[in-house]
Amino acid sequence: MSTPTVPTAERPDAEAAGFDDRFADLAAKPAPERQREVVERLRAIVPDHCLLYREEDTRPYECDALSAFRQLPMVVVLPEVEEQVRAILKACRELDVPVVARGAGTSLSGGSMPHASGVVLSLAKFNRILSIDPLARIARVQPGVRNLAISDAATPYGLYYAPDPSSQIACTIGGNVAENSGGVHCLKYGLTVHNVLRVRALTIEGETVEFGSEALDSPGLDLLALMIGSEGMLAVVTEITVKLVPTPPLARVVMASFDDVVTAGDAVARIIAAGIVPAGLEMMDRKATVAVEEFVHAGYDLEAAAILLAESDGTPEEVADEVARIERVLREAGATGIRVSNSEAERLLFWSGRKNAFPAAGRLSPDYYCMDGTIPRRNLGRMLASIAAMEEKYRLRCMNVFHAGDGNLHPLILFDANDPDEWQRAERFGAEILALSVEYGGTITGEHGVGVEKIDSMCVQFSRAELASFFAVKRAFDPPGLLNPGKAIPTLARCAEYGKMHVHGGRLAFPELPRF
């Protein structure tokens, strides 16, 4: 495929980019004859056991891990080979049917929420590790391969795949590519975008496109980073080549306690300022540590207002030197207690607490709303103080777990979705956190994507011209706008409506922030 040309829009809105409002309403129900037409067309491409269209069969696909947003799809199709994917996409293009690609459904932004008049294209059967090259330190995998399965397969060669989302036991590498996922070790080893070398995909026309290369560089424009984090809106990924890194000889975790969350946030900035880049640098407040300790018994300090987990890995000599430097900085920063893991089992136990923060929240509340803003490290303490004030304002509890090293926030707002008022307050709570993230010099997402959850917050962060550019990029890859429509990029009309929705008592909720 030739390099897509990004057109210049005369008007900075969706219509200027060539899209209309056909797919704006994700909940619009299809006519029965329309469903029959689509089912019959797909039945000619895949076996019956790969096609789901009865309500009881499609119900499991109505949402991802962000269960607050639900919608039954018209049809679910589970292809088994790439040629079937190609034929499905061509058929949907000819029938003018929206397509939502789906992995394991662990997304936390509603990115794979179905379209009621569309097809869910599940890549669950694309679950093969195609090859591992220990000399080149790469693995070639299909998108349905679980994140952790790559490391398991690479272990005999002394290698592993570095990005490790908390959901790595279940999430798929295709979904990681769609959302540019990270994990607790992303500070040193990077996000998905830093660990993927090549992506093979199919456009809505069924045309094969390849981005990146197994070589050190690839010819032409570097569009690989554009594909990673594109949320299934540009093409459907069918194969991925990832980098593998050597398993370090030793790793140890320093756990530090603080009697104040602001002091703990400042300590993070001081570690980085000292020139130390830990393998992982995570932060949890007392609400999170108490919830986790009751769940996994990780050995956390329950008296501390916040704890930091800083991991050092490398040779024994490197680890000893870095741990000593980290301890010194933490003491100078005001740590009230410091523990260092004395075995691999204890190191894994410390991390098990952090990685189980989300399920621990589920034991405390019927529902939780996980946010994903990112801010400069210097503002971590300031943000924590602001969130504490918001708890009073919205009358809801909030647990805080952060990828502190890169300023990626994961506040967990606890609420009951059975109470509409609580859900509305939780939404406003989350929107204010994201607005403050932008105000503090950050972004509305670090690794969870935009999906449907943060689409209104896009109106806070980006200008008219920027939104127009986003639509122009999508049009270059997906002219009819059929791939995952209604996600990630808001129209200006939606942004105008968002502004109206957030007027309370004659005042905008965040008057200092830009409006369009």
Side-chain angles (χ1 to χ4, degrees):
M1 177 183 176
S2 59
T3 301
T5 301
V6 179
T8 301
E10 295 180 3
R11 291 186 296 120
D13 56 18
E15 291 72 21
F19 301 118
D20 55 32
D21 292 328
R22 289 173 298 161
F23 309 124
D25 184 3
L26 296 177
K29 290 185 177 181
E33 58 271 17
R34 176 64 162 168
Q35 184 187 45
R36 285 195 294 270
E37 178 187 23
V38 173
V39 168
E40 288 307 309
R41 186 67 177 273
L42 296 179
R43 184 171 278 141
I45 299 170
V46 298
D48 281 348
H49 68 270
C50 295
L51 195 58
L52 308 174
Y53 52 90
R54 296 181 180 87
E55 181 175 334
E56 62 267 27
D57 296 326
T58 62
R59 179 68 67 183
Y61 296 87
E62 68 178 350
C63 66
D64 55 20
L66 183 67
S67 59
F69 297 97
R70 297 172 180 267
Q71 177 57 58
L72 280 173
M74 178 171 63
V75 179
V76 178
V77 60
L78 297 93
E80 299 174 311
V81 295
E82 187 177 276
E83 282 308 308
Q84 291 175 344
V85 177
R86 189 189 316 279
I88 290 165
L89 290 171
K90 286 183 176 180
C92 289
R93 174 68 178 92
E94 292 172 9
L95 294 172
D96 210 27
V97 173
V99 179
V100 178
R102 180 184 174 96
T106 60
S107 165
L108 288 162
S109 63
S112 60
M113 188 182 80
H115 193 293
S117 298
V119 169
V120 167
L121 177 57
S122 171
L123 280 304
K125 293 178 180 286
F126 281 65
N127 57 4
R128 293 171 52 222
I129 295 177
L130 301 173
S131 66
I132 292 180
D133 185 339
L135 297 180
R137 294 179 179 173
I138 60 174
R140 193 165 56 91
V141 304
Q142 292 184 317
V145 172
R146 292 180 302 110
N147 176 289
L148 188 58
I150 299 176
S151 292
D152 289 343
T155 295
Y157 305 102
L159 302 169
Y160 74 106
Y161 180 64
D164 57 343
S166 295
S167 59
Q168 69 177 149
I169 192 173
C171 66
T172 58
I173 188 65
N176 292 171
V177 167
E179 306 291 359
N180 191 22
S181 304
V184 299
H185 291 96
C186 60
L187 175 60
K188 182 175 181 178
Y189 293 102
L191 300 162
T192 301
V193 70
H194 305 110
N195 290 274
V196 169
L197 294 172
R198 174 181 158 275
V199 165
R200 176 183 173 93
L202 296 173
T203 68
I204 187 62
E205 287 86 8
E207 187 176 2
T208 300
V209 288
E210 291 194 7
F211 307 97
S213 168
E214 294 177 12
L216 295 177
D217 199 1
S218 56
L221 294 176
D222 183 6
L223 298 178
L224 178 61
L226 183 65
M227 279 298 298
I228 299 174
S230 60
E231 303 192 32
M233 299 176 65
L234 305 182
V236 175
V237 173
T238 58
E239 187 181 302
I240 303 153
T241 302
V242 301
K243 289 193 286 189
L244 302 174
V245 296
T247 304
L250 179 67
R252 300 179 73 189
V253 173
V254 180
M255 181 169 65
S257 303
F258 292 86
D259 57 10
D260 179 77
V261 292
V262 176
T263 304
D266 293 342
V268 172
R270 293 178 71 162
I271 288 174
I272 304 300
I276 304 170
V277 183
L281 184 53
E282 300 288 305
M283 181 175 174
M284 303 170 68
D285 68 6
R286 180 183 286 139
K287 292 188 187 71
T289 55
V290 169
V292 163
E293 191 63 21
E294 293 177 353
F295 185 40
V296 298
H297 309 294
Y300 290 164
D301 180 358
L302 300 183
E303 299 301 317
I307 65 167
L308 290 183
L309 298 173
E311 179 166 287
S312 175
D313 65 10
T315 65
E317 295 78 13
E318 290 171 333
V319 170
D321 176 69
E322 189 168 83
V323 165
R325 293 170 62 202
I326 291 172
E327 287 187 271
R328 183 165 58 251
V329 171
L330 291 172
R331 288 193 181 94
E332 292 172 354
T336 58
I338 295 177
R339 285 177 56 192
V340 181
S341 62
N342 56 26
S343 68
E344 177 66 4
E346 187 171 41
R347 181 186 77 87
L348 294 175
L349 187 61
F350 285 172
W351 280 127
S352 74
R354 168 60 186 87
K355 289 199 169 191
N356 279 286
F358 291 6
R363 299 174 75 243
L364 297 181
S365 175
D367 301 277
Y368 64 83
Y369 190 22
C370 178
M371 304 313 299
D372 177 46
T374 300
I375 61 174
R377 287 180 291 264
R378 66 179 180 275
N379 286 325
L380 281 174
R382 184 182 177 194
M383 175 60 84
L384 280 166
S386 297
I387 289 174
M390 292 181 212
E391 289 185 86
E392 297 293 327
K393 175 179 178 181
Y394 294 106
R395 306 188 310 281
L396 293 171
R397 296 172 295 161
C398 183
M399 293 167 45
N400 291 288
V401 293
F402 295 171
H403 296 312
D406 57 1
N408 189 194
L409 322 171
H410 290 325
L412 302 171
I413 302 168
L414 308 181
F415 73 102
D416 184 353
N418 294 312
D419 183 338
D421 180 64
E422 280 203 16
W423 169 228
Q424 290 173 9
R425 281 185 277 132
E427 279 195 298
R428 293 197 299 270
F429 195 158
E432 186 167 351
I433 290 173
L434 297 181
L436 282 176
S437 295
V438 174
E439 182 181 338
Y440 291 169
T443 72
I444 63 169
T445 181
E447 58 170 337
H448 291 175
V450 176
V452 294
E453 175 208 15
K454 302 185 186 75
I455 193 166
D456 287 334
S457 294
M458 289 282 286
C459 304
V460 171
Q461 181 157 6
F462 295 104
S463 68
R464 295 169 59 94
E466 288 167 324
L467 293 175
S469 295
F470 296 159
F471 272 115
V473 170
K474 178 166 175 59
R475 182 188 178 193
F477 286 87
D478 176 24
L482 291 171
L483 291 175
N484 213 8
K487 311 281 180 62
I489 314 171
T491 63
L492 290 182
R494 185 182 183 109
C495 287
E497 182 63 22
Y498 176 73
K500 294 175 184 176
M501 284 164 48
H502 284 70
V503 173
H504 298 283
R507 296 176 62 252
L508 287 173
F510 313 111
E512 72 282 2
L513 297 174
R515 297 285 163 181
F516 314 115

